[in-house]
Amino acid sequence: MTTHTFGLRSFATAAAVIAIAIGTNATAQEMAAPQGVTLLTVSGDITNTNAGDTAIFDLEMLRALPATTIETSTIWTEGVQTFTGVELHAFLEYVGANGESIRATAINDYAIEIPTAEVFPGGALVAYENNGNTMSVRDKGPLWVVFPYDSSTDFQKEVIYSRSIWQLDRIEVLD
Amino acid sequence: MQTLITEKRPLGWAKLSILGAVLIICFGAIAILALEVNRKIDEQAAANSDNIQWVLSQVEVEYLGLLSAIDDHEETGDVSNIRLRFDVLYSRLSTFETGTAYESLRNDIDFAARLGGISSTLNALIPTIDAPDEVLSQSLPELQSELETLGTPIRQMALIGIDFFANVSDSSRHVVWLTLMRVAALTMALVLALAILSIVLFQLYRYAQRNADEISAASARLEAMVSSTLDAVIVINEAGRVVEFNGSAESIFGYSRVEAIGAPLVDMIIPLKHRKAHLEGMKRHLRDGTYHVVGRGRVQMDALRKNGELFPCEFSIARANTKNGILFVAFLRDNSAQVAAERELLAARDEALAGEKAKADFMAVMSHEMRTPLNGMLGTIELLNDTDLTEKQQNFLKIMETSGRLLLHHVNDVLDVARLDSDKVVAERNPFDLSQMIAEIIDSQHGISATNDTAVHCNLSDLGSPIVLGDEKRLRQVIMNLLSNAIKFTRGGTVMIEAEQIGDSDVVEFRVSDTGIGIHDDDLSRIFEDFVTLDSSYAREFGGTGLGLGIAKRLVESMNGTIGAESEPGDGSLFWFRIPLPILAKSKSTELLPTSESKELEISNSMDILVVEDNQINQLVVEEMLTKDGHRVTLANDGREGVDKAAEQYFDLILMDISMPRMDGIAACVAIRNGDGPNRNSRIIALTANALPEDIERFKEAGMNDVLIKPISRSKLARTVSVTPTAPTLNAPTTAAAPEATPTPKPEAPTAVDAVDSEMLANLIEDLGPQMASNLISTFVTETDTMVEHLVETPPEDDVQMIAEIHKLAGSSSMFGTVSFSSLLRSLETIGKTQSAEKMRDKAPEMRELWDTTRAELTELVEDMMADE
């Protein structure tokens, strides 16, 4: 993975330095800077930051957040999959998101919007593991927003499918 | 009420609910289809197709991105971007390979072939991509040329995919179209169903409206009926409180409607004495549902008015089960006027009946009272006729006598009518000689028939000279009436009396026909009415009350017979009547005694004798014996009749039986002696079968001159009768007959050896003649058979009655020499009178055995004696 995200590494390192710098005198004192490769950058109307106005996360930081595992099939894969990650609802709470909606963007700049009103516990999951393994970019990793599609027909809709963004690397909280 | 609203409904609830179900199904189907449409539209939504096309075109975009990254390498020398772009392209393609969403697409061979080719090319490039940066940098030209071969298949794949999903969209749109059509069809159906429903609801509304109209009309009618009816209508509830009280109820009971409604009925109109029963009845009815009055039709009872007045009230109560509980509807009618009217009617009827009876009594009494002085007058006229009179005086006297006799006749007629109308006495049934009776009647009419130059014939056809069982007196009077009528209206013609048995029945038809003037048809129908005298000068000539035929009709009907007449004016008339008249014996002789013979029998010292005797056989015997000795006999059936007869006419001698119904011999004797009739000094001789010494003493005290103990023989009778006929010896009753009979008969043991005194029997046959004796004996046997059977098997419960019947049988049997049998009967009678009835009853069955023996012996003896004659 590290090899694939090489381009990001330097940026992530720089961001981490900034985060540390801010972390010492900013409000989000508890939010440490990422030690590994940055996987996700959160910007916009958030209160908890570690890199200037943004919050950046490596895999370890995401793992440190309360993990949730779901089992479901998807329309893009074959057979029932196990996804482990942090619920989007909990994640947004963690970063102190206050916006009306979020914009999630993928590595290839694919972007979708999700109203925060539709983010709730038991809903979207920011998965970092598929079937017990971390995901490479070729496997739609390293972060993939999935929903428990099998649990309800409410999750078997085009709008949900469109929100199932893979190769996620940015979230912006919009007012 | 119920019947008024039960009409057929236009549509049942069942139909309505079916319609409702159809509607619900329509709604449901439409809702489901709408959801379906919604879903399809969702599927058709831009996101779907955009996404597919996006994903398909994105492969090309990423592919071009990768090539561009390789181009950029010449300027930047950055290989990480090449790796990222490759990985993204790879992930895109792998999505086509694994994603279920593209399964159908993968089934497209062209697509699959291109996808497979591209994938294998990319996989082959992975080692190059994953190689270290320097190696990758050097391999870039090679990588680029390898990747450039993918341009065409990637483009083709995207086009195939877009084409494929366009088709899918088309078919999907078609499905939506179909679904929409279905929705449209269902909507039409729904609209139709709604239309039908509204029609139905409208009908239901109209039906309900009509019902409501009818109900209100019916209740208005009912209201009108209840308020206008003359009967009081009171409705009470289960608690007995008044809920309805109509106008008539107000006027009958005196309570106003306002006062009555809600008040307990029992305190208002139920009389105190019935209140407890009323309350209990209500309670019982509500508890058990049993009815005493409810639904039982009209009942009459006293009811109470407000002012405390009791009045007869007729009412009926019906029960009605309503939504608000049980109601009792009472219809009551004030019956006081009707009851009063009934009472008046009853009183009027009683008065009328009393008046009628008084009239009848008056008639009877007057006729009777007129008869006595008339008899006196006629007797005096006869006496006057024996004195020296001038011819003129004799003529006057004759007119007087004729008028007197006519008057007597009329009085007798009226008396007969009055008696027949008032008496409920059933015709008597006694044996008598029919032919002899008719002969006597013809003989009595001899004078008139001779005057009218009319011959009277008699034809009894095959009846011969019968002994019949019937009411001789009434029959005689009927025939007499018809015969005298016939003779009266026939001049120089013929009158015929005929009698004929109808088939084998007991009914005998009598016909009296004449060749006289006849009767018109118009008159025939009314000749049997009272006081009818045909208005012809011819008829007037004879006078008469017009009661004769009316009396005949009454007499015939009293004997259970019918009477009628036929006539041909100018040719004559036929009167007929039929009565039940059982024939006991038919004589072989069809000859009648010549009417003149009786006159030959007259001897110098013949006497007028009254025989008072209830036993018919004894009557016949005594009468026969006395007649043969030249005496004139008048019969009376009991003491009272004896007294009546004795009042009418003087008799030289009265033979008086002792035990008789209505009035016994002793009382009759006392009545005659103490009266002022012509016979108060006549000789009276007691006839008795059972004379105890103390009885004979009683007879003497009553004024009897003598006692004649039964059985009676002709000689004994003759001797007793002939004793000093002109000198009544009140205080010296003779017992002339005593030596010949047992004066104080003691109960004797019946002797089987000699049950019948043959000498006595022989005397009887000699005295009466074989004909008469034979008839009498057979009658006696038949009668005794019946009586013995009756007394043994079904004896009367009344002791006195039983003793009387035994006495009667004893009287008959003593005549025929059946000494043992009659002494048994007498001993039974004596036991019954002097000891105990129970003992008598115990001993009574002995009669049967003894009678069987006696009967056999009697029959044998009679046959022997008859053969000897």
Side-chain angles (χ1 to χ4, degrees), chain A residues 117-136:
Chain A
E118 294 179 26
V119 177
F120 45 81
L125 182 76
V126 179
Y128 42 75
E129 270 181 17
N130 180 13
N131 295 335
N133 302 312
T134 52
M135 295 171 283
S136 68

Side-chain angles (χ1 to χ4, degrees), chain A:
Chain A
M1 179 203 258
T2 46
T3 47
H4 301 305
T5 55
F6 188 75
L8 284 177
R9 211 171 286 161
S10 55
F11 168 73
T13 307
V17 171
I18 297 162
I20 290 161
I22 294 169
T24 52
N25 57 1
T27 51
Q29 290 171 343
E30 287 166 33
M31 195 164 182
Q35 302 299 310
V37 179
T38 297
L39 299 185
L40 183 62
T41 302
V42 183
S43 61
D45 187 6
I46 57 169
T47 53
N48 211 358
T49 57
N50 61 1
D53 287 342
T54 64
I56 55 174
F57 295 86
D58 64 1
L59 183 61
E60 289 314 309
M61 285 173 74
L62 290 173
R63 280 190 192 277
L65 295 174
T68 297
T69 301
I70 59 167
E71 280 194 358
T72 185
S73 58
T74 77
I75 60 167
W76 310 276
T77 55
E78 216 172 351
V80 176
Q81 311 286 315
T82 304
F83 294 101
T84 301
V86 56
E87 284 197 353
L88 182 59
H89 180 262
F91 181 77
L92 291 180
E93 216 163 63
Y94 178 71
V95 297
N98 287 318
E100 288 292 306
S101 64
I102 59 164
R103 176 180 290 139
T105 310
I107 291 168
N108 63 347
D109 297 329
Y110 173 78
I112 50 96
E113 275 189 24
I114 302 172
T116 48
E118 294 179 26
V119 177
F120 45 81
L125 182 76
V126 179
Y128 42 75
E129 270 181 17
N130 180 13
N131 295 335
N133 302 312
T134 52
M135 295 171 283
S136 68
V137 175
R138 287 175 204 160
D139 299 327
K140 303 185 177 63
L143 296 177
W144 187 359
V145 175
V146 292
F147 293 80
Y149 309 102
D150 294 350
S151 70
S152 166
T153 50
D154 289 344
F155 298 124
Q156 294 166 11
K157 292 176 177 169
E158 279 309 310
V159 68
I160 297 298
Y161 294 146
S162 72
R163 287 173 187 171
S164 302
I165 183 169
W166 61 72
Q167 293 160 343
L168 171 76
D169 70 344
R170 285 156 283 168
I171 291 174
E172 187 182 0
V173 179
L174 306 171
D175 283 334

Side-chain angles (χ1 to χ4, degrees), chain B residues 666-730:
Chain B
I666 292 171
C669 181
V670 170
I672 293 166
R673 288 278 183 249
N674 294 345
D676 55 357
N679 292 300
R680 64 176 181 275
N681 292 321
S682 296
R683 211 149 65 95
I684 301 177
I685 295 174
L687 274 176
T688 181
N690 195 10
L692 302 171
E694 59 265 34
D695 286 338
I696 293 170
E697 201 53 42
R698 274 201 301 135
F699 303 160
K700 277 198 246 171
E701 279 168 21
M704 302 278 191
N705 296 89
D706 208 340
V707 178
L708 198 53
I709 310 286
K710 293 173 185 175
I712 301 161
S713 70
R714 191 175 171 183
S715 55
K716 190 164 77 179
L717 184 63
R719 256 200 317 278
T720 310
V721 167
S722 62
V723 171
T724 49
T726 50
T729 51
L730 254 171

Side-chain angles (χ1 to χ4, degrees), chain B residues 70 229 269 286 318 379 419 456 490 517 533 585 689 709 751 825 833:
Chain B
I70 292 169
T229 179
I269 70 162
L286 292 171
R419 201 186 58 228
V456 180
T490 307
I517 56 171
T533 50
I709 310 286
T751 48
L825 291 170
K833 275 181 176 166

